[in-house]
């Protein structure tokens, strides 16, 4: 199959209604991620799902979009209770899911709310009395309300268990089973979990009916034939200078540079062409014929540098590509893996360089959590950054199970470029103790600190305890980084 044909994938194929497609477009997404492509059609068909997908794969949309699609049809049952219930382990996750619901449901009249530990009861009681289509909840607090007779599940059609493994790790097995038992038998159940190991499989057997198993492949691929490194850039100009340095390296034969937006790709391709590079852009605004011709020119070697959006992250199979350069990091961590897979093909050795601006640390740590390994920090002599790497990944709000220890990555070599121009060196030592030598910060909500469930409260490890929970709410920033290139809705 022609590789360039693989890169046309769109949300239209998933048969979602126009309101959702508009919201998806407004979110800047063009192509569904793997988990979305696999899960959405099955969920929309009404079948139960058991999906293994980590954070960073776009899994939230994989259950929120089919839920919203289902809610387009009026309920068959009179009442005010939620028609979709999403259970998730922590307050932070609940907030993020609720944000996603708001984003994807913005062109609908659907009502949603969340019930989490640590928030005042009266507000939640009012929410549960009002008509509700979707409810996002952490198990402990929801059980509290159920025990007080405040939750009406008579209309419930869909139950989603998000991060099921983590809910079980936190000791929520009983609440989850109790909540499921209180919902109608006729419901559809979608279970998402990073792993199916341990009790997740058993829980699934009890709660799901003939589920379709979905597994997103390749997340942990090591790409040992690809040298991966990051360069920290102080600002946009610094990024450009680092880019020129990489493009001028002697071992570079052909490169793909990924940008976040279509406009960014056009602008950068134009600049590089002016600087004398045999360069072309590739993105989703180009007609298919033009895209194919560009790929052919790249294949023939007429184009040395391709500046592309994530439309080129998959499927493109050109053995001459020695370098992948992430001028902007991808929105979805999973796309990082697809992007770098454009080099090091057919047994060749490849180089993947990511340029990290001040706003990119959160995305970088999401990528590192997703792939399970830390990327080598390198500096170019003469182009050193003036700032230090922020501790803990730059106010990273991303969740997932941090899994870094020095053991897995050590000994970290002082990277020396093979190129005489290169002259990289490992940067960590320059900053004293690396933030990765410690356990990365885990935001703790009250739900994690101790949920009210009967008389017992759950401690972090899930074991019931009886101490009073602290009323302190952790300060977590949900601010989105600003984009440098292009506009929102201008992706791919
Ligand atoms: P999740 O794995 O659900 O936490 O999603 C990770 C990130 O990917 C979030 O910032 C989403 O907004 C983003 N995202 C989800 N679906 C897509 C998509 N199809 N294209 C681009 N970004 C996406």
């Amino acid at each position: 199959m022609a590789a360039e044909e693989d890169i046309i994938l769109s949300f239209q194929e998933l048969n979602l209604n126009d309101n959702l497609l508009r919201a998806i477009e407004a979110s800047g997404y063009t192509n569904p991620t793997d988990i979305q492509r696999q899960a959405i059609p099955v969920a929309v068909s009404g079948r139960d799902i058991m999906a293994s997908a980590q954070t960073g794969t776009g899994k939230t949309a994989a259950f929120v979009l089919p839920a919203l699609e289902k809610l387009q049809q009026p309920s068959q049952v009179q009442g005010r209770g939620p028609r979709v219930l999403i259970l998730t382990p922590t307050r932070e996750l609940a907030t993020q899911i609720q944000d996603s619901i708001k984003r994807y449901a913005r062109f609908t009249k659907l009502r949603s709310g969340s019930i989490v530990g640590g928030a005042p009861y009266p507000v939640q009681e009012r929410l549960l009395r009002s008509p509700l289509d979707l409810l996002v909840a952490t198990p402990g607090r929801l059980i509290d309300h159920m025990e007080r007779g405040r939750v009406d599940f008579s209309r419930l059609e869909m139950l989603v268990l998000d991060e099921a493994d983590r809910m079980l790790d936190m000791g929520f097995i009983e609440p989850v089973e109790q909540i499921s038992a209180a919902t109608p038998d006729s419901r559809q159940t979608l279970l998402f979990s990073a792993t199916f190991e341990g009790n997740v499989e058993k829980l699934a057997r009890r709660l799901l009916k003939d589920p379709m198993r979905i597994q997103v492949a390749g997340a942990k691929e090591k790409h040992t034939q690809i040298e991966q490194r990051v360069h920290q850039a102080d600002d946009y100009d610094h990024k450009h200078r680092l880019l020129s340095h990489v493009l001028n390296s002697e071992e570079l034969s052909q490169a793909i540079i990924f940008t976040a937006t279509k406009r960014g790709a056009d602008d950068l391709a134009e600049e590089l062409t002016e600087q004398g590079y045999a360069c072309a852009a590739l993105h989703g605004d180009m007609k298919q014929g033009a895209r194919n011709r560009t790929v052919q020119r790249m294949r023939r070697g007429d184009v040395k540098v391709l500046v592309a959006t994530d439309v080129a992250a998959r499927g493109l199979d050109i053995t001459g590509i020695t370098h992948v350069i992430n001028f902007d990091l991808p929105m979805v961590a999973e796309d990082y893996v697809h992007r770098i897979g454009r080099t090091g093909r057919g047994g060749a050795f490849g180089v993947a360089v990511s340029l990290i601006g001040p706003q990119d640390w959160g995305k970088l740590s999401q990528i590192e959590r997703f792939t399970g390994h830390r990327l080598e920090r390198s500096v170019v002599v003469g182009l050193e950054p003036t700032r230090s790497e922020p501790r803990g990944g730059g106010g990273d709000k991303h969740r997932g199970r941090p899994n870094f220890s020095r053991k897995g990555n050590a000994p970290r070599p002082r990277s020396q470029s093979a190129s005489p121009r290169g002259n990289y060196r490992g940067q960590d030592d320059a900053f004293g103790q690396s933030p990765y030598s410690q356990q990365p910060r885990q935001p703790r909500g009250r739900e994690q600190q101790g949920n009210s469930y009967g008389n017992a409260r759950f401690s972090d490890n899930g074991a019931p305890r009886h101490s009073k929970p602290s009323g302190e709410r952790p300060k977590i920033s949900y601010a989105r980084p600003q984009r440098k290139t292009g506009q929102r809705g201008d992706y791919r």
Side-chain angles (χ1 to χ4, degrees):
M1 187 179 4
E4 48 273 35
E5 281 165 23
D6 291 344
I7 61 183
I8 328 156
L9 296 157
S10 85
F11 276 102
Q12 321 289 333
E13 296 167 58
L14 302 178
N15 291 325
L16 296 168
N17 75 74
D18 285 347
N19 285 333
L20 299 184
L21 291 177
R22 268 174 74 203
I24 289 164
E25 203 185 336
S27 302
Y29 313 160
T30 313
N31 301 331
T33 63
D34 283 353
I35 186 68
Q36 292 163 2
R37 202 172 307 118
Q38 291 186 59
I40 292 174
V42 180
V44 166
S45 78
R47 189 164 168 192
D48 283 5
I49 286 181
M50 189 176 174
S52 122
Q54 290 162 273
T55 191
T57 54
K59 72 177 168 61
T60 313
F63 56 77
V64 170
L65 290 171
L68 296 174
E69 180 67 36
K70 190 169 204 132
L71 292 170
Q72 298 304 302
Q73 302 302 321
S75 170
Q76 304 296 313
V77 181
Q78 291 282 327
R80 295 173 155 234
R83 296 174 60 194
V84 171
L85 171 65
I86 300 166
L87 289 182
T88 193
T90 68
R91 182 164 53 185
E92 290 71 39
L93 279 169
T95 307
Q96 288 174 45
I97 294 169
Q98 175 69 1
D99 288 348
S100 297
I101 292 174
K102 290 218 174 96
R103 182 153 18 114
Y104 305 136
R106 60 198 279 192
F107 300 115
T108 73
K109 293 203 167 73
L110 297 169
R111 291 152 301 197
S112 61
S114 66
I115 296 285
V116 294
Y121 280 84
V123 180
Q124 298 186 345
E125 284 159 12
R126 271 202 301 283
L127 177 76
L128 290 169
R129 277 198 302 272
S130 56
L132 209 52
D133 296 299
L134 298 101
L135 179 64
V136 185
T138 49
R141 179 59 72 90
L142 184 62
I143 288 277
D144 266 3
H145 287 287
M146 285 168 63
E147 287 178 345
R148 293 169 199 200
R150 295 197 190 109
V151 190
D152 169 14
F153 281 139
S154 57
R155 297 203 306 163
L156 199 99
E157 296 165 48
M158 183 190 272
L159 171 66
V160 180
L161 306 175
D162 179 39
E163 306 220 352
D165 54 332
R166 214 163 145 196
M167 283 201 279
L168 299 192
D169 284 352
M170 288 170 65
F172 286 135
I173 188 147
E174 268 186 61
V176 167
E177 296 212 7
Q178 196 175 332
I179 293 164
S180 310
T183 63
D185 236 14
S186 55
R187 65 158 202 270
Q188 180 184 10
T189 311
L190 313 181
L191 180 147
F192 285 76
S193 185
T195 160
F196 292 153
E197 282 160 24
N199 286 327
V200 178
E201 186 80 47
K202 285 187 208 141
L203 180 79
R205 246 180 270 134
R206 285 198 292 276
L207 303 186
L208 277 68
K209 289 183 198 128
D210 182 31
M212 168 75 105
R213 271 176 180 264
I214 294 173
Q215 191 125 21
V216 184
K220 297 271 179 198
E221 235 178 287
K222 279 257 167 17
H223 286 300
T224 43
Q225 80 290 12
I226 302 172
E227 180 194 327
Q228 299 175 56
R229 61 175 184 253
V230 305
H231 292 313
Q232 180 182 348
D234 288 335
D235 52 31
Y236 191 67
D237 286 343
H238 191 191
K239 253 193 191 184
H240 269 272
R241 279 179 279 130
L242 286 163
L243 175 67
S244 299
H245 172 84
V246 178
L247 287 178
N248 291 335
S249 78
E250 282 180 358
E251 68 267 35
L252 186 142
S253 159
Q254 280 184 300
I256 300 192
I257 303 172
F258 284 100
T259 60
T261 67
K262 294 179 265 197
R263 206 176 109 187
D266 277 337
D267 290 351
L268 189 56
E270 209 178 300
E271 279 174 49
L272 293 174
T273 304
E274 277 167 17
Q275 287 169 25
Y277 292 99
C279 185
L282 183 76
H283 56 67
D285 268 359
M286 293 162 61
K287 294 235 164 72
Q288 192 53 45
R291 285 200 224 174
N292 291 348
R293 280 193 296 280
T294 303
V295 173
Q296 288 310 334
R297 285 172 59 213
M298 186 79 181
R299 225 182 268 293
R300 284 199 304 266
D302 299 344
V303 168
K304 184 172 172 183
V305 179
L306 187 68
V307 188
T309 59
D310 279 310
V311 81
R314 295 152 206 253
L316 213 59
D317 187 9
I318 301 174
T319 34
I321 296 172
T322 50
H323 286 61
V324 166
I325 304 164
N326 290 315
F327 191 78
D328 299 311
L329 287 181
M331 279 172 80
V332 195
E334 181 191 17
D335 280 346
Y336 173 83
V337 178
H338 292 297
R339 283 182 179 189
I340 69 165
R342 297 313 102 215
T343 184
R345 300 190 76 82
F349 189 76
V351 176
V353 180
S354 298
L355 305 178
I356 310 295
Q359 310 292 340
D360 295 330
W361 295 104
K363 280 188 193 160
L364 177 64
S365 64
Q366 200 178 15
I367 289 167
E368 292 181 323
R369 284 174 189 188
F370 180 70
T371 57
H373 33 96
R374 184 177 189 273
L375 297 177
E376 171 77 29
R377 273 65 167 161
S378 293
V379 289
V380 178
V381 172
L383 290 174
E384 295 87 351
T386 56
R387 305 175 198 186
S388 312
E389 174 170 342
R391 286 183 73 82
D396 173 41
K397 65 186 167 68
H398 301 289
R399 68 274 185 192
R401 221 165 276 152
N403 187 23
F404 298 115
S405 64
R406 285 301 221 165
K407 218 172 149 200
N409 298 307
R412 190 169 313 137
R414 290 184 147 253
S415 149
Q416 295 285 347
S417 168
S419 149
R421 289 167 192 262
N423 207 6
Y424 304 102
R425 62 184 157 83
Q427 196 182 343
D428 293 325
D429 299 345
F431 301 126
Q433 194 188 24
S434 157
Y436 292 86
S437 59
Q438 306 171 346
Q439 274 285 62
R441 241 182 322 126
Q442 268 280 47
R444 282 160 56 101
R446 191 194 243 179
E447 190 76 19
Q448 283 165 287
Q449 293 169 3
N451 269 297
S452 176
Y453 173 51
N455 292 323
R457 292 182 184 276
F458 292 88
S459 64
D460 283 355
N461 62 11
R465 68 178 186 205
H466 297 271
S467 59
K468 260 190 140 189
S470 117
E472 278 292 296
R473 209 188 143 81
K475 289 195 176 65
I476 295 157
S477 163
Y478 292 103
R480 288 198 153 267
Q482 294 289 314
R483 297 192 168 277
K484 263 281 183 198
T485 51
Q487 306 295 319
R488 203 158 173 76
D490 179 33
Y491 307 97
R492 299 190 192 218

